[in-house]
Amino acid sequence: MISVSQIKISIIVPVYNIENYLRECLDSLVSQTLENIEIILVNDGSQDNSHIIIDEYCNSYPNLFVKFEKKNGGLSDARNFGAKHAKGEYLLFIDGDDYIQKDMC
């Protein structure tokens, strides 16, 4: 398990009604070659099944994912919310309908 002082990058992912894209995004984050990261998922009031996918990944990778649920406030609000809870030295914002290369971090 990574201690808080070792977290290099906090990856913040706002989630709002993106169940069709979310798995590909989260799979790309799980595959990062840098190990000392945390992935903060901010469910911004989704009304689809995004919360089920979030729970699935949080249960499968409990030392990697941190989840938060909040009332819908928009993309910037969700990003700022996640940034307030980040423990990493650096922040990386990834939209939940995007994916990244495994060596991006």
Side-chain angles (χ1 to χ4, degrees):
M1 185 170 159
I2 298 171
S3 73
V4 171
S5 64
Q6 294 175 318
I7 296 174
K8 191 71 168 177
I9 300 174
S10 294
I11 303 172
I12 299 165
V13 183
V15 176
Y16 182 73
N17 292 343
I18 53 170
E19 67 179 307
N20 293 333
Y21 310 100
L22 189 55
R23 287 183 196 283
E24 185 174 18
C25 174
L26 300 182
D27 285 342
S28 75
L29 298 177
V30 167
S31 299
Q32 289 302 293
T33 55
L34 182 66
E35 294 181 5
N36 50 345
I37 62 173
E38 70 172 345
I39 303 166
I40 299 173
L41 303 174
V42 181
N43 185 354
D44 193 33
S46 293
Q47 298 176 356
D48 65 358
N49 290 316
S50 294
H51 68 281
I52 294 171
I53 297 168
I54 290 170
D55 287 343
E56 178 184 312
Y57 278 80
C58 287
N59 289 333
S60 295
Y61 305 95
N63 294 326
L64 189 57
F65 286 98
V66 180
K67 72 175 181 175
F68 294 97
E69 306 236 356
K70 60 178 279 314
K71 182 179 173 183
N72 181 261
L75 182 61
S76 295
D77 186 61
R79 285 179 176 164
N80 290 334
F81 184 91
K84 289 178 186 174
H85 293 90
K87 295 176 175 64
E89 185 177 346
Y90 300 98
L91 299 179
L92 175 61
F93 298 98
I94 301 293
D95 290 340
D97 60 352
D98 291 335
Y99 60 92
I100 60 175
Q101 298 297 317
K102 66 180 181 176
D103 60 351
M104 181 167 177
C105 291

